[in-house]
């Protein structure tokens, strides 16, 4: 389960390789014991894609496209929990095969998201909203509030998923977003959860992993370079000379308590499995039972898993729940019947 401790994490990693196959990418991530599925269609311009736990490995495109591996936030947690979780080793391999000369470039990092999760209430999303919008609107434009940045673009968005404040353009090489993660995740187990996320693309993504120091130092170094909230002043119109807001300074000082990066644990549980089997797979299961009958379906299902290794997350779930498999499969049949599959 998720540990609610302030932390800095990698929350998206996308890289390409012209020297790898999909299988060698799986080995590079330490996920050789996991069963990737082949999707019916590719993505990102690639005709083929393998998928497991938020990790997509796309292949089969033009020779100059190579193989593309994309790890979403969920994929990063999968990498940390079931793979080797070694970002330094991964980034070292990418840098060893990276070249500023495009023709000589064998590997490239195209996107990297680095995020700070605050569970202590240091960052208050409504305080950030007020600081961003303190000058209000004029001519249908949002006027810059009590902050200074290197961006010409900033925005606020309020929806049923909570409040979000963005700085820069989502399509640019760097974008900062601060948002109510508790509301987005509909998480009732925590009093406060605000995420401050830096999204890096292309040269900026590569530049980040080239930096010396740990993830904490690098995160705050980039953040300080692009965004600072300030105390409002009636005497000096030059905001860059203004003092840093106390609450923002307090946030920056937390870097001293985050020197050691500890990845959050994977939160795969019985509800996730239930949602996958009886949500995403329910149509396929119901159709197959309709075509071949329940006895043939269960027979084929049993035969299909013989000799195959369970994905680590399924092994962990079985250990956690101490499942007892019913030999005559009555439990499976009843489960299907309750959910309308029979």
């Amino acid at each position: 389960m998720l540990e609610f401790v302030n932390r800095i994490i990698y929350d998206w990693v996308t890289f390409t390789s012209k020297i790898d196959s999909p299988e060698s990418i799986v080995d590079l991530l330490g996920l050789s014991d996991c069963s990737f599925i082949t999707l019916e269609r590719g993505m990102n311009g690639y005709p083929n894609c393998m998928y497991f736990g938020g990790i997509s490995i796309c292949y089969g495109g033009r020779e100059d496209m190579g193989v593309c591996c994309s790890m979403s936030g969920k994929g990063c947690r999968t990498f940390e929990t079931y793979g080797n979780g070694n970002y330094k080793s991964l980034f070292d391999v990418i840098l060893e095969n990276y070249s500023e000369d495009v023709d000589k470039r064998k590997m490239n990092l195209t996107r990297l998201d680095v995020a700070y999760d605050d569970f202590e209430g240091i960052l208050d999303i409504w305080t950030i909203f007020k600081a961003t919008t303190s000058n209000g609107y004029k001519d249908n434009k949002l006027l810059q509030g009590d902050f200074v940045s290197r961006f010409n673009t900033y925005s606020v968005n309020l929806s049923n998923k909570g409040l979000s404040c963005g700085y820069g353009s989502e399509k640019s090489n760097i974008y900062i977003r601060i948002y109510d993660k508790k509301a987005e995740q509909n998480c009732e187990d925590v009093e406060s959860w605000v995420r401050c996320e830096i999204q890096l693309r292309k040269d900026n993504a590569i530049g980040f992993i080239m930096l010396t120091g740990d993830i904490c130092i690098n995160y705050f170094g980039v953040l300080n370079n692009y965004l600072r909230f300030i105390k409002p002043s009636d005497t000096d119109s030059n905001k860059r000379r203004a003092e840093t807001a106390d609450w923002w300074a307090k946030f920056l000082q937390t870097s001293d308590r985050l020197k050691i990066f500890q990845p959050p644990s994977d939160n795969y549980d019985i509800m996730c499995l239930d949602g996958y089997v009886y949500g995403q797979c329910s149509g396929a299961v119901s159709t197959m039972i309709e075509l071949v009958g329940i006895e043939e379906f269960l027979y084929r299902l049993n035969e299909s898993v013989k000799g195959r290794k369970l994905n680590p997350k399924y092994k962990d779930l079985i250990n956690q729940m101490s499942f007892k498999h019913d030999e005559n499969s009555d439990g499976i049949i009843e489960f299907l019947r309750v959910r309308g599959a029979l």
Side-chain angles (χ1 to χ4, degrees):
M1 295 297 291
L2 186 66
E3 292 185 44
F4 301 117
V5 178
N6 283 18
R7 66 202 182 193
I8 294 179
I9 60 173
Y10 292 114
D11 204 51
W12 194 291
V13 178
T14 299
F15 66 93
T16 59
S17 174
K18 297 179 182 179
I19 57 175
D20 282 288
S21 65
E23 292 74 21
S24 64
I25 292 292
V26 171
D27 291 339
L28 176 63
L29 300 177
L31 294 168
S32 57
D33 288 336
C34 299
S35 298
F36 280 75
I37 62 173
T38 302
L39 302 183
E40 293 183 358
R41 63 183 65 183
M43 59 182 68
N44 300 326
Y46 292 83
N48 304 309
C49 182
M50 295 166 48
Y51 178 85
F52 171 71
I55 301 176
S56 303
I57 302 177
C58 303
Y59 60 97
R62 301 186 313 271
E63 184 176 350
D64 63 307
M65 295 171 66
V67 178
C68 177
C69 176
S70 186
M71 298 192 290
S72 64
K74 178 181 178 180
C76 289
R77 307 294 79 81
T78 296
F79 173 53
E80 296 156 1
T81 305
Y82 304 112
N84 57 50
N86 193 331
Y87 289 101
K88 184 181 184 305
S89 175
L90 173 61
F91 295 156
D92 284 346
V93 171
I94 293 173
L95 289 176
E96 286 173 5
N97 293 282
Y98 175 80
S99 172
E100 293 185 2
D101 186 336
V102 177
D103 294 331
K104 297 180 180 179
R105 189 178 300 167
K106 299 176 182 177
M107 296 185 74
N108 193 19
L109 182 67
T110 58
R111 178 175 171 181
L112 180 68
D113 289 8
V114 192
Y116 184 114
D117 281 330
D118 171 39
F119 300 103
E120 298 177 4
I122 299 171
L123 292 176
D124 178 75
I125 192 62
W126 289 104
T127 298
I128 293 167
F129 169 76
K130 292 175 182 177
T132 303
T133 63
S134 59
N135 286 339
Y137 290 84
K138 184 178 180 181
D139 299 329
N140 294 322
K141 293 183 179 181
L142 177 64
L143 302 179
Q144 183 174 333
D146 297 322
F147 70 93
V148 292
S149 75
R150 297 178 61 181
F151 303 117
N152 296 321
T153 305
Y154 39 92
S155 61
V156 294
N157 180 55
L158 179 62
S159 71
N160 63 330
K161 290 294 186 178
L163 178 61
S164 175
C165 299
Y167 309 89
S169 169
E170 293 186 62
K171 297 181 180 179
S172 66
N173 285 358
I174 182 166
Y175 174 68
I176 296 173
R177 184 164 72 113
I178 308 176
Y179 60 103
D180 188 345
K181 190 71 175 177
K182 176 184 176 180
E184 185 205 54
Q185 295 291 309
N186 192 27
C187 181
E188 300 296 334
D189 298 332
V190 62
E191 186 173 337
S192 174
W193 184 2
V194 173
R195 172 167 288 184
C196 182
E197 181 177 83
I198 304 175
Q199 183 182 107
L200 303 158
R201 294 183 183 274
K202 300 179 182 179
D203 292 346
N204 283 353
I206 281 289
F208 187 91
I209 65 173
M210 286 181 175
L211 296 173
T212 57
D214 62 21
I215 183 176
C216 179
I217 293 173
N218 297 342
Y219 171 87
F220 280 106
V222 172
L223 187 65
N224 282 330
N225 192 37
Y226 283 91
L227 179 66
R228 181 170 67 94
F229 290 92
I230 60 173
K231 295 179 180 179
S233 174
D234 296 327
T235 59
D236 192 344
S237 60
N238 189 334
K239 293 186 176 184
R240 297 195 176 278
R241 289 197 292 261
E243 295 183 42
T244 300
D246 292 338
W247 58 270
W248 188 248
K250 183 180 179 180
F251 167 60
L252 299 180
Q253 290 168 4
T254 62
S255 62
D256 294 336
R257 295 189 283 124
L258 294 169
K259 291 300 183 184
I260 300 177
F261 166 64
Q262 295 184 350
S265 60
D266 181 71
N267 60 348
Y268 192 85
D269 56 20
I270 185 62
M271 295 306 295
C272 295
L273 179 62
D274 186 278
Y276 176 71
V277 175
Y278 302 104
Q280 292 179 257
C281 297
S282 60
V285 171
S286 179
T287 301
M288 184 59 71
I289 292 173
E290 182 72 21
L291 292 173
V292 303
I294 183 62
E295 292 185 2
E296 178 68 13
F297 171 77
L298 291 175
Y299 172 77
R300 291 188 185 183
L301 180 64
N302 184 60
E303 289 296 310
S304 69
V305 298
K306 285 183 177 179
R308 293 181 59 183
K309 294 181 179 180
L310 280 179
N311 279 333
K313 64 179 180 182
Y314 298 142
K315 291 180 181 178
D316 290 347
L317 187 56
I318 290 172
N319 292 334
Q320 292 168 20
M321 302 299 295
S322 299
F323 282 154
K324 293 182 179 180
H325 298 288
D326 191 351
E327 293 182 358
N328 61 16
S329 300
D330 287 344
I332 296 176
I333 295 175
E334 179 61 23
F335 216 30
L336 291 169
R337 183 177 291 114
V338 168
R339 284 160 178 77
L342 295 179

